[in-house]
Amino acid sequence: MKIRTALTLKNTCATATVFLICLTMIYVVSEHTRSRTFFHDLRGEAITKAHLFLQNQVDARTMQSIYLNNRRFINEVEVAVYTTDFHMLYHDAIQNDIIKEDRKMIDRILEEKEIEFYIGSYQALGMLYQFQGQHYIVTAAAYDGYGYHNLYELRRTLLLLFVIGLSLLVLVGYFLARSALKPIRDIVREAENITSSHLDRRLPVKNEKDELGELSTTFNALLNRLEVSFNSQKMFVSNVSHEMRTPLAALIAELDLALQKERTEQQYRAAMENALQDARRMNKLIDGLLNLAKADYQKEQIKMQDIRLDELLLDVREYVLKAHPDYTINLLFEQEDADDDRLITVTGNHYLLSIAFSNLMENNCKYSADKASFVQISYWDKWAIVRLSDAGIGMTDVEKQHLFTLFYRGEQEKQVEGHGIGMALSQKIISLHRGQIAVHSQQGEGTTLVVEPPHV
């Protein structure tokens, strides 16, 4: 069932229920008013007849004759007059006797002064009537034919109104639901046109303050993120393909050249060494891409533990020097007299932080003439601070701006081997650990990288 149909049915049912309750209340109030009005008229008729009889203005035979003649044309009131000791003085039609008075009823009238009750569809009353200092019991009963006829007509009118009103409610509810849901249909039609080749399209936002406007705005923000992610993915695939093609092409060229003709053992060895170097470059590139993928994990997916930065950096220094014996890395632990080890302890993943700091140290050494990196550890406020400095060639403003861009290589790319992954990977890892990284560099004056992860 569509929302439009469901809204129409729900609104119609709810409104029809309220409408039916209102019509029912009108009918009940009308019935109550009819009943009270007729009891009032019945009381007046009973007093009039009793007064005429007790004053002897009209004899009993004449009054009975009038009653019997009127009963053929109108709903005449049947009146009876009794003494308080239940002796009947007058009765309009003893042969009919609608009320059928008994001693118990007389006693009740004497006790309550006046009673009202129904006998089938007849309304009746009994009252204590005083005339010339004496008390009499007067009863009266009649059928409110005119009132019941009006009530019947009212019931038919209300039923007709309910049927017509319900039909109008269905039509109005349908068109209102259709009108209210039109913006949603427009959103659906527009969303159907958004494909992978048209991610730049956005949903229309007519009113940012209503619910549909908020939905469209939120969806457009999602599309913005998807477009950025999709474009980044396409660029990533393109760059990876380019980076992978270079070592593969070099590897194929070396092997192809070695197989073109017979060569000496020394020439074959040189070709194999070149091929091995290209394979290592490709392996390093793949490792960097895998680590980059791990850095994209959510924090909840990564095992975290408390890590002392000084111990971590010592391990990283040993690893880097083992891989590059010609590098020099100096560690300086400032504020060693600090009593609280937590000031240089961070919560993080040991493997990822090791990769980040090893990349930063290698970057210092690669771009420094003496292949040295100077690392300082300190703390301030809620941050642990690691400064990695070199006395290298420094960077231009353009290079600093693109330093953390994936696959970006600076002006020295031909002089220094690399793939443009390390710095982008380091920044992702530091951000994953709720830290921040900044670069300070001048051409010819070296570079300082400042990493500030929060300590425990």
Side-chain angles (χ1 to χ4, degrees), residues 237-247:
V237 171
S238 176
N239 289 329
V240 167
S241 301
H242 174 75
E243 293 292 334
M244 293 287 287
R245 187 184 298 115
T246 301

Short mmCIF file of all heavy atoms in Angstrom, two decimals, residues 237-247:
data_model
loop_
_atom_site.label_atom_id
_atom_site.label_comp_id
_atom_site.label_asym_id
_atom_site.label_seq_id
_atom_site.Cartn_x
_atom_site.Cartn_y
_atom_site.Cartn_z
N VAL A 237 42.69 4.83 -8.06
CA VAL A 237 42.89 3.72 -9.00
C VAL A 237 43.80 4.15 -10.15
O VAL A 237 44.70 3.42 -10.57
CB VAL A 237 41.53 3.22 -9.52
CG1 VAL A 237 41.73 2.22 -10.66
CG2 VAL A 237 40.72 2.60 -8.40
N SER A 238 43.56 5.39 -10.64
CA SER A 238 44.38 5.89 -11.73
C SER A 238 45.84 6.04 -11.32
O SER A 238 46.76 5.62 -12.04
CB SER A 238 43.82 7.25 -12.21
OG SER A 238 44.65 7.81 -13.20
N ASN A 239 46.05 6.61 -10.12
CA ASN A 239 47.42 6.79 -9.65
C ASN A 239 48.11 5.46 -9.35
O ASN A 239 49.30 5.28 -9.63
CB ASN A 239 47.43 7.67 -8.39
CG ASN A 239 47.09 9.11 -8.70
OD1 ASN A 239 47.39 9.59 -9.78
ND2 ASN A 239 46.46 9.79 -7.77
N VAL A 240 47.36 4.54 -8.72
CA VAL A 240 47.92 3.23 -8.43
C VAL A 240 48.33 2.53 -9.73
O VAL A 240 49.41 1.91 -9.83
CB VAL A 240 46.93 2.37 -7.63
CG1 VAL A 240 47.37 0.93 -7.59
CG2 VAL A 240 46.80 2.92 -6.22
N SER A 241 47.45 2.61 -10.73
CA SER A 241 47.76 1.98 -12.02
C SER A 241 49.03 2.57 -12.62
O SER A 241 49.88 1.84 -13.15
CB SER A 241 46.59 2.17 -12.99
OG SER A 241 45.41 1.61 -12.48
N HIS A 242 49.14 3.89 -12.51
CA HIS A 242 50.33 4.55 -13.05
C HIS A 242 51.59 4.13 -12.28
O HIS A 242 52.62 3.81 -12.88
CB HIS A 242 50.14 6.07 -12.98
CG HIS A 242 51.36 6.83 -13.38
ND1 HIS A 242 51.77 6.95 -14.69
CD2 HIS A 242 52.29 7.51 -12.63
CE1 HIS A 242 52.88 7.67 -14.75
NE2 HIS A 242 53.21 8.03 -13.51
N GLU A 243 51.47 4.13 -10.93
CA GLU A 243 52.63 3.78 -10.11
C GLU A 243 53.03 2.32 -10.30
O GLU A 243 54.22 1.99 -10.29
CB GLU A 243 52.33 4.05 -8.64
CG GLU A 243 52.15 5.52 -8.29
CD GLU A 243 53.45 6.31 -8.42
OE1 GLU A 243 54.52 5.69 -8.29
OE2 GLU A 243 53.39 7.53 -8.67
N MET A 244 52.06 1.44 -10.46
CA MET A 244 52.36 0.02 -10.65
C MET A 244 52.95 -0.24 -12.04
O MET A 244 53.77 -1.14 -12.23
CB MET A 244 51.09 -0.82 -10.47
CG MET A 244 50.54 -0.83 -9.06
SD MET A 244 51.53 -1.83 -7.95
CE MET A 244 51.10 -3.47 -8.49
N ARG A 245 52.52 0.57 -13.02
CA ARG A 245 52.97 0.35 -14.39
C ARG A 245 54.47 0.61 -14.52
O ARG A 245 55.18 -0.09 -15.26
CB ARG A 245 52.20 1.26 -15.34
CG ARG A 245 52.50 0.99 -16.81
CD ARG A 245 51.80 1.98 -17.73
NE ARG A 245 50.36 1.86 -17.60
CZ ARG A 245 49.58 2.85 -17.12
NH1 ARG A 245 50.13 3.97 -16.72
NH2 ARG A 245 48.28 2.68 -17.03
N THR A 246 54.96 1.63 -13.77
CA THR A 246 56.38 2.00 -13.92
C THR A 246 57.33 0.87 -13.52
O THR A 246 58.19 0.48 -14.33
CB THR A 246 56.66 3.27 -13.10
OG1 THR A 246 55.81 4.33 -13.56
CG2 THR A 246 58.11 3.69 -13.25
N PRO A 247 57.24 0.32 -12.29
CA PRO A 247 58.17 -0.77 -11.96
C PRO A 247 57.93 -2.03 -12.78
O PRO A 247 58.88 -2.76 -13.10
CB PRO A 247 57.90 -1.02 -10.47
CG PRO A 247 56.55 -0.47 -10.21
CD PRO A 247 56.39 0.67 -11.15
#
